[in-house]
Amino acid sequence: MSDPTARAAAALAAGELIILPTETVYGLGADAANAQAVAKVFEAKGRPRFNPLIAHVADAAQADRIAVLDAAARRLAARFWPGPLTIVAPAREGVGVCDLARAGLDSVAVRVPGHATARAVIAAFGGAVVAPSANRSGRPSPTTFADAVEETGHAVAEALDGGPCAVGLESTVVSVLDGRIALLRPGAVTRVELEAVVGRLSEVGDGRRSPGRVALHYAPDAPVRIETTQTAPGEILLGFGPGVGDPRWSLSPSGDLREAAANLFRLLREADRERPSAIVVAPVPKDGLGEAVFDRLRRAAGHVG
Ligand code: TXA
Ligand code: MG
């Protein structure tokens, strides 16, 4: 088999793991229905088993076979799929996604990725594919093929190079449960864009909090300080906007949030390789896409919860 898509689909069917490019970050993919394959994902990442995985599907019809999508969920799907939105909805019993992938919950997270390679692999495989970010647990998500291979390449049978991830941050996660719609993880689909489709979002009650958001963060090895441009010798400043720091280390020299999101994890990882005494990140706006960028920065700096 010389076609990488077919090889990746065959690896999934054989219960092996793959590195799967998506538009957000690189994923570590496995057959969502195969508990042994899903167990390998948790093991390769060192991920706690209470933290459920996202089931990636080729289209909304396939999502509908594993999750109960109400009218609001359907509107979100129609507007944002394929794309960087994950919908958490009641799971349909016993179909497609094993218990371990759902961490035993009665809900399931589903997403139709925007990256053509991801959708081609899922379509060739025919079932749902769980794919957490391809980093080891607690590390920044990989947004380039090289970073993904460095993190979890040892654990996979097939690795697909889809180029640098256009979005660079993990998908927006929204729960649509019991008629309440809540933002569990900010991402490239912004709060304002969601509210334009479904109206005002509910507050996240503690019981509904995304299990993976409580204790984990995405930190490099170096300590991270945010919201300042003050640096000491031996520290690296990630700038934002014209004239802030060395352009080589800028999230976006022009002050563009999309560019900053696409560069953030890659620059954190590159800065970390220089073994600085700290990584310092200049202030970024906090509205629109800035909510997601700031969320990841707070986590990298250890300000979780
Ligand atoms: O962009 C993305 O979403 C990437 C790419 C590869 O698709 N994947 C990703 O997966 O970020 P992961 O496993 O790193 O993040 C999944 C998030 C976690 O915060 C997890 O707790 C949450 O989704 N989640 C999954 N199922 C859930 C559920 N049933 N209820 C609440 N949160 C859930
Ligand atoms: Mg992750």
Side-chain angles (χ1 to χ4, degrees):
M1 256 186 295
S2 59
D3 171 21
T5 301
R7 281 205 312 267
L12 291 170
E16 306 284 355
L17 308 189
I18 63 168
I19 283 178
L20 182 73
T22 86
E23 80 282 24
T24 56
V25 301
Y26 274 82
L28 183 63
D31 175 359
N34 181 339
Q36 276 168 3
V38 172
K40 290 184 198 169
V41 171
F42 282 91
E43 192 181 323
K45 283 179 62 74
R47 179 172 175 124
R49 288 194 175 209
F50 62 76
N51 191 9
L53 307 176
I54 298 169
H56 295 66
V57 292
D59 53 37
Q62 194 185 354
D64 201 51
R65 288 198 287 278
I66 61 179
V68 182
L69 303 177
D70 70 9
R74 282 169 199 281
R75 282 205 303 281
L76 289 170
R79 169 70 180 81
F80 297 112
W81 284 351
L85 178 71
T86 294
I87 299 176
V88 173
R92 291 195 195 278
E93 264 316 302
V95 272
V97 183
C98 67
D99 229 55
L100 177 60
R102 290 186 284 107
L105 299 174
D106 54 11
S107 59
V108 63
V110 287
R111 151 166 140 82
V112 178
H115 198 296
T117 304
R119 281 204 314 287
V121 169
I122 297 163
F125 170 59
V129 176
V130 289
S133 47
N135 52 288
R136 280 166 282 130
S137 211
R139 307 243 318 135
S141 298
T143 56
T144 68
F145 181 65
D147 286 344
V149 169
E150 179 186 304
E151 286 284 330
T152 50
H154 62 277
V156 305
E158 203 62 50
L160 297 181
D161 185 349
C165 300
V167 173
L169 300 179
E170 307 86 349
S171 60
T172 303
V173 181
V174 158
S175 63
V176 186
L177 296 166
D178 307 324
R180 288 164 53 89
I181 306 170
L183 180 60
L184 303 183
R185 178 173 76 183
V189 174
T190 65
R191 185 183 289 276
V192 168
E193 288 175 312
L194 294 168
E195 290 190 335
V197 176
V198 293
R200 197 145 170 77
L201 301 177
S202 304
E203 289 305 310
V204 184
D206 269 353
R208 293 288 191 212
R209 208 174 266 284
S210 202
R213 308 279 299 159
V214 181
L216 307 178
H217 55 106
Y218 316 118
D221 291 331
V224 176
R225 275 202 327 275
I226 59 175
E227 299 266 276
T228 177
T229 56
Q230 304 261 312
T231 51
E235 298 181 343
I236 293 178
L237 171 66
L238 303 189
F240 180 83
V244 183
D246 177 347
R248 188 248 174 276
W249 291 113
S250 181
L251 294 171
S252 168
S254 67
D256 177 78
L257 271 171
R258 280 193 185 282
E259 186 181 30
N263 284 330
L264 176 62
F265 287 141
R266 180 181 57 78
L267 283 177
L268 282 175
R269 303 175 75 95
E270 283 177 13
D272 214 23
R273 283 186 197 113
E274 308 281 318
R275 304 248 154 255
S277 45
I279 301 170
V280 177
V281 189
V284 297
K286 297 181 186 58
D287 54 330
L289 181 56
E291 182 178 1
V293 173
F294 187 59
D295 171 79
R296 303 312 189 274
L297 285 174
R298 280 176 51 243
R299 285 165 185 279
H303 314 167
V304 194

